[in-house]
Amino acid sequence: MGNKMRVFVLVLVFFLSLDVGANNTQRLVFTDCWFSVAFNKDWQVTSKPVKKNKCQLEAKHKNSSANLSISVGYSEYLQVLSEHGFDYFNQQWVTVGRQGAIEIAEPVKFKHWQGLKGTVAVGCHDDGGYIGICPHDVLVLRESSMQDGNVLIIKSFSETEMDFSDIYNTLEAAY
């Protein structure tokens, strides 16, 4: 019975790997962090959650300078918004960045998530040190079906115009 089970598992793994290769996506499930995400072949996961920071994932686009990070917010939704540059000012949501930069934030909804998306001006660094102010897209999302559900923080950056919604739409709650 043990050998038959091993053969079955090997065959199942083979067919599952064919399915992942067929649509060129890789779904990563982080049940401890309550989310899953799928990346296509153009993205390389550069930092999976580790013991030190088990609920942050980082990925880099293979053909550009684009990168993104996804992490879990451990405070309530409004507090996480504030911690990541969002403010409710003059009856609208805005993002507040370095040197007084203010941008209007927009409401977003992706599958099981809803929240705010904004651009925050932050300090940029490279191997040589500080290089100036750079805009980063920041999304703070919460589960749309639960009042006190999971909160995700997504930060994305690209030097060229790039649509990250393909990744945002693959986010799912994982329990």
Side-chain angles (χ1 to χ4, degrees):
M1 191 70 107
N3 287 336
K4 287 181 183 180
M5 183 59 95
R6 276 191 216 118
V7 169
F8 174 76
V9 169
L10 287 173
V11 169
L12 181 63
V13 168
F14 174 75
F15 282 112
L16 287 175
S17 64
L18 282 179
D19 183 49
V20 168
N23 60 17
N24 292 319
T25 62
Q26 174 187 16
R27 175 154 302 275
L28 303 171
V29 179
F30 303 100
T31 51
D32 289 347
C33 304
W34 312 295
F35 75 89
S36 70
V37 63
F39 290 100
N40 68 26
K41 64 181 173 54
D42 295 331
W43 287 88
Q44 175 184 9
V45 175
T46 57
S47 175
K48 288 185 181 177
V50 293
K51 189 173 187 177
K52 179 180 169 189
N53 191 2
K54 72 177 190 173
C55 290
Q56 180 167 342
L57 170 72
E58 296 180 11
K60 180 171 179 13
H61 195 269
K62 292 180 181 178
N63 303 320
S64 73
S65 63
N67 58 54
L68 65 86
S69 72
I70 303 171
S71 59
V72 171
Y74 291 105
S75 301
E76 69 175 20
Y77 176 69
L78 292 175
Q79 172 127 7
V80 175
L81 281 171
S82 176
E83 291 168 355
H84 291 279
F86 291 88
D87 192 10
Y88 193 73
F89 181 71
N90 285 336
Q91 300 185 11
Q92 64 183 354
W93 283 101
V94 297
T95 54
V96 181
R98 296 281 299 267
Q99 299 178 350
I102 294 178
E103 297 281 333
I104 295 175
E106 64 180 281
V108 292
K109 187 165 180 136
F110 300 104
K111 258 187 173 177
H112 309 284
W113 306 92
Q114 67 183 24
L116 292 172
K117 177 181 178 183
T119 302
V120 178
V122 297
C124 292
H125 299 80
D126 66 6
D127 294 338
Y130 180 76
I131 58 173
I133 302 292
C134 299
H136 288 264
D137 285 338
V138 177
L139 280 86
V140 176
L141 304 170
R142 66 177 168 187
E143 290 178 75
S144 55
S145 62
M146 298 179 71
Q147 180 179 1
D148 202 20
N150 202 16
V151 176
L152 292 181
I153 303 136
I154 304 170
K155 296 180 182 179
S156 55
F157 171 76
S158 179
E159 291 178 2
T160 59
E161 195 65 30
M162 187 168 204
D163 184 14
F164 290 95
S165 63
D166 287 343
I167 295 171
Y168 304 154
N169 281 315
T170 68
L171 288 167
E172 292 183 1
Y175 299 103

